């Protein structure tokens, strides 16, 4: 069977499974809608957390980043994995013991302020919408290639599926759907990695295959890859701290990703769905185990993909181009502008002929292609050489989001494996998108509508507002997916920066320093998020020069500026704390109780507390 038929089978079967689970687990209470009734077993919550956290960025983009950046791409592996350890060990059990529904819920009650709750809601919405944009774009990329539909149509299909199962089952439906999605995505990731490792090196363990010799030679894969990279004008694949990725930027980006992970509201809320703080700790353990299966394999598949990409394209004649290239070329995610000799060159120099469409529209791209063809036909007398033009626009090289999805095709694996990879990519994107949409829904329906606007709202009214919010959020997320501000990995990295600058410092200080009051926390969040948003938006959209802060000649990468925002937040909060009143005795007693060892006091059930 063809790849397309296999894709229809896998995607149809997996979507039917997700919708069936949503129907089976539909809920009629707010506790079921927001925290799955707090009855999810620790191991299942670990799988759901892993699926929630391993988004399109982890499945599709991360290996693409490592593949094109080489050693420097490891910053994403270190940052995201380290952040989850930080969250599981430092924050999750305490947050669970507070017993709230959402992060703004915790912030509002801990700092005794509706204004803090409102600012936390704005931060949660800002982070979640930035993050979900990357997921919806990932869905569109997968659909466009494997079902041969327009990227925008793919985004709309994904919106419909997520809307149905998120509104039916709320957190309960999303949790059990994510358990199924975890097994789809991890199997889809591991099977091609193992098959390619055997094919290239004869080793069935990808991590060992990356360091092994190529089949039938005495040359290691990494040595060969380093050689090819330098031969075609790229830096050595295994050399650290090259170009803009100096030590300062690696540190800033890794730390922003790390503390940003610990502040992501859709990951934190998963720890509210288990029965006790002890179950929250076990959830963290299981989630780390399940996540490690993909993250420890990603460097291997990145290296395999880079080897195939450079080896199969350079020197190929037009009539000999591999099928995978022709398939992906139709999506605009990889393009070839020949210099007239009919031979492909994919290099890091000015003679590079491989590009991507990026944000160019169809008519704009068609115009560039026509002018380039005229330039070739007239030997440069008329028309425009597209290659310098594309280089000026920063569109050299293929789109990084196709690397993982195209790798099974590059390795000429069976059609069913190629199609299964597509189902895995969709599972990764949809699982995270649904979690984010629920955070958006709970921020509006629970924290804004119920806790601020209408405290007397009935259960039915709250559920109606929650489901309606998901509908609106899906439409906005889809628009972000159709008009994305960057490729998937970068968009998601910005979300981590915003979370690092806003939530992380005040959550940590809120748990471990009971002297911190309302005004310092509020000022810290506004200052951290404000300076980070200003820098990211100014640099990315208005070409503002990157600040060096006297630390690096390269300038601070926008992806790493969340670290600066976090330190600003900490400095403002800590600096103002002695100048303003401490929290009430009731809140200080609550913090002491939360920090007591398990067994000394039960977790607080927010539904049974006086405020509810």
């Amino acid at each position: 069977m063809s790849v397309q038929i296999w894709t229809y089978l896998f995607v149809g079967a997996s979507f039917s499974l997700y919708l069936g689970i949503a129907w089976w687990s539909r809920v009629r209470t707010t506790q079921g809608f927001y925290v799955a009734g707090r009855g999810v077993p620790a191991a299942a919550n670990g799988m759901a957390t892993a699926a929630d956290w391993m988004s399109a960025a982890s499945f599709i983009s991360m290996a693409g980043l490592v593949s094109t950046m080489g050693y420097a791409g490891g910053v994403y592996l270190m940052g995201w994995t380290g952040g989850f350890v930080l969250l599981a060990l430092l924050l999750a059990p305490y947050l669970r013991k507070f017993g709230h529904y959402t992060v703004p819920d915790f912030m509002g009650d801990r700092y005794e302020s509706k204004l803090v709750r409102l600012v936390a809601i704005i931060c949660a919405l800002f982070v979640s919408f930035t993050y979900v944009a990357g997921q919806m774009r990932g869905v569109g990329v997968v659909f466009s290639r494997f079902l041969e539909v327009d990227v925008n149509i793919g985004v709309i299909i994904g919106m419909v599926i997520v809307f149905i199962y998120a509104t039916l089952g709320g957190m309960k439906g999303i949790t059990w759907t994510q358990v199924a999605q975890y097994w789809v995505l991890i199997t889809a990731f591991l099977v091609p990695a193992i098959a390619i490792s055997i094919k290239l090196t004869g080793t069935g363990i990808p991590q060992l295959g990356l360091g092994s010799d190529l089949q039938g030679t005495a040359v290691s894969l990494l040595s060969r890859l380093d050689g090819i990279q330098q031969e075609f004008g790229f830096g050595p694949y295994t050399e650290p701290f090259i170009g803009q990725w100096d030590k300062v930027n690696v540190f800033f980006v890794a730390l922003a990703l790390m503390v940003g992970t610990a502040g992501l509201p859709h990951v934190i809320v998963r720890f509210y769905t288990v029965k006790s703080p002890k179950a929250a700790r076990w959830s963290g353990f299981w989630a780390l185990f399940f996540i490690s299966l993909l993250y420890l394999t990603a460097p291997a598949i990145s290296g395999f993909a880079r080897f195939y990409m450079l080896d199969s394209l350079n020197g190929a004649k037009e009539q000999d181009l591999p099928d995978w290239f022709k398939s992906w070329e139709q999506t605009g995610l990889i393009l070839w502008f020949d210099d007239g000799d009919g031979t492909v060159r994919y290099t890091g120099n000015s003679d590079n002929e491989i590009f991507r469409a990026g944000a160019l529209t169809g008519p704009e791209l068609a115009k560039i292609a026509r002018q380039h063809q005229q330039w070739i036909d007239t030997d440069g007398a008329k028309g425009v050489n597209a290659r310098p033009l594309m280089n000026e626009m920063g569109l050299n090289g293929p789109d990084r989001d196709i690397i993982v999805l195209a790798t099974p095709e590059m390795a000429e694996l069976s059609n069913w494996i190629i199609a299964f990879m597509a189902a895995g990519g969709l599972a990764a994107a949809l699982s995270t998108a649904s979690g984010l949409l629920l955070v958006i829904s709970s921020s509006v329906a629970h924290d804004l509508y119920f806790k601020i606007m209408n405290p007397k709202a009935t259960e039915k009214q709250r559920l109606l507002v929650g489901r309606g919010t998901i509908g609106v959020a899906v439409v906005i997320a889809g628009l972000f997916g159709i008009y994305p501000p960057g490729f998937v990995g970068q968009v998601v990295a910005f979300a981590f920066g915003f979370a690092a600058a806003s939530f992380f410092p005040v959550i940590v200080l809120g748990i471990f320093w009971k002297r911190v009051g309302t005004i310092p926390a509020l000022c810290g969040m506004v200052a951290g998020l404000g300076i980070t948003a200003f820098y990211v938006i100014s640099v990315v959209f208005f070409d503002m020069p990157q600040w060096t802060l006297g630390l690096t000649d390269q300038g601070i990468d926008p992806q790493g500026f969340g670290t600066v925002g976090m330190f600003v937040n900490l400095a403002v909060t800590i600096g103002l704390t002695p100048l303003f009143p401490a929290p009430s005795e009731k809140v200080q007693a609550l913090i002491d109780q939360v920090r007591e060892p398990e067994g000394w006091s039960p977790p607080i059930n927010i539904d049974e507390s006086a405020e509810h």
Side-chain angles (χ1 to χ4, degrees), residues 345-570:
R345 269 189 296 278
Y346 174 34
T347 73
N349 303 319
S350 57
D351 61 349
N352 172 54
E353 298 176 351
I354 297 298
F355 301 92
R356 61 184 179 278
L360 290 173
T361 63
E364 288 172 338
L365 188 61
K367 182 181 177 182
I368 291 173
R370 278 197 308 274
Q371 291 179 332
H372 184 74
Q373 189 59 48
Q374 189 181 27
W375 177 79
I376 291 177
D377 294 341
T378 61
D379 290 330
K382 294 181 180 178
V384 177
N385 182 356
R387 294 177 301 153
L389 185 63
M390 298 295 277
N391 273 323
E392 283 178 18
M393 291 188 284
L395 297 175
N396 49 322
D399 193 304
R400 295 168 183 175
D401 293 340
I402 75 169
I403 301 293
V404 167
L405 298 172
T407 302
E409 294 174 278
M410 294 183 205
E412 299 177 340
L413 299 183
S414 301
N415 286 347
W416 73 268
I417 296 180
I418 297 170
F420 196 36
M421 188 65 127
L426 288 172
L430 294 177
S431 62
T432 304
S434 58
L436 290 163
L437 289 171
L438 194 75
V439 165
I440 294 169
S441 168
S442 57
S443 295
V444 173
H446 179 73
D447 297 307
L448 182 62
Y449 174 69
F450 176 60
K451 301 302 283 290
I452 296 178
M453 295 172 62
N454 185 11
K456 296 181 180 178
T458 64
E459 191 97 341
K460 187 176 179 181
Q461 287 174 318
R462 292 162 63 189
L463 280 174
L464 185 64
V465 173
R467 286 176 166 136
T469 303
I470 287 181
V472 175
V474 163
V475 173
I476 297 174
L479 290 174
F480 277 129
I482 292 170
Y483 305 105
F487 64 87
V488 175
Q490 266 190 336
V491 171
V492 171
F494 294 149
F496 280 78
F498 294 143
S502 57
F503 282 133
F504 182 77
V506 287
I507 289 176
V508 172
L509 291 174
I511 295 171
F512 295 102
W513 191 19
K514 61 183 180 183
R515 176 65 179 80
V516 180
T518 306
I519 301 298
L522 185 63
C523 293
M525 277 199 296
V526 171
L529 185 64
I531 193 171
T532 304
F534 167 78
Y535 185 82
V536 170
I537 293 170
S538 299
V539 170
V540 175
F541 298 105
F542 298 100
D543 298 324
M544 184 183 81
Q546 294 182 4
W547 297 350
T548 65
L549 302 180
L551 299 172
T552 169
D553 295 336
Q554 307 293 331
I556 305 296
D557 191 290
Q559 297 176 73
F561 201 80
T563 298
V564 178
M566 177 192 68
F567 284 123
V568 169
N569 187 334
L570 280 172

Side-chain angles (χ1 to χ4, degrees), residues 108-113 514-518 580-592 611:
D109 285 359
R110 162 60 183 85
Y111 292 106
E112 301 175 289
S113 167
K514 61 183 180 183
R515 176 65 179 80
V516 180
T518 306
F580 288 90
S584 67
E585 290 184 3
K586 179 184 172 185
V587 167
Q588 294 191 48
L590 176 66
I591 297 168
D592 285 337
E611 295 85 350

Side-chain angles (χ1 to χ4, degrees), residues 193-194 196-206 208-209 212 215:
I194 293 169
I196 295 171
S197 181
I198 293 172
K199 189 168 185 177
L200 273 179
T201 66
T203 304
I205 302 174
L208 296 179
S212 301
Q215 286 259 48

Side-chain angles (χ1 to χ4, degrees), residues 2-5 7-8 11 139-154 157 323-324 326-331 409 418 422 426:
S2 68
V3 172
Q4 195 172 19
I5 293 175
T7 305
Y8 276 117
V11 172
V139 171
V141 168
V142 176
F143 272 120
S144 68
R145 161 62 189 95
F146 293 101
L147 298 184
E148 297 184 4
V149 298
D150 184 78
V151 171
N152 298 341
I153 299 295
I157 295 172
D323 291 339
W324 68 264
K326 296 172 185 173
S327 301
W328 283 100
E329 192 176 26
Q330 294 171 13
T331 67
E409 294 174 278
I418 297 170
L426 288 172

Side-chain angles (χ1 to χ4, degrees), residues 190 192-195 197 201 203-211 296-297 300-301 304:
L190 293 181
I194 293 169
S197 181
T201 66
T203 304
I205 302 174
Q207 294 82 354
L208 296 179
L210 183 64
L296 293 177
T297 308
I301 207 162
F304 301 153

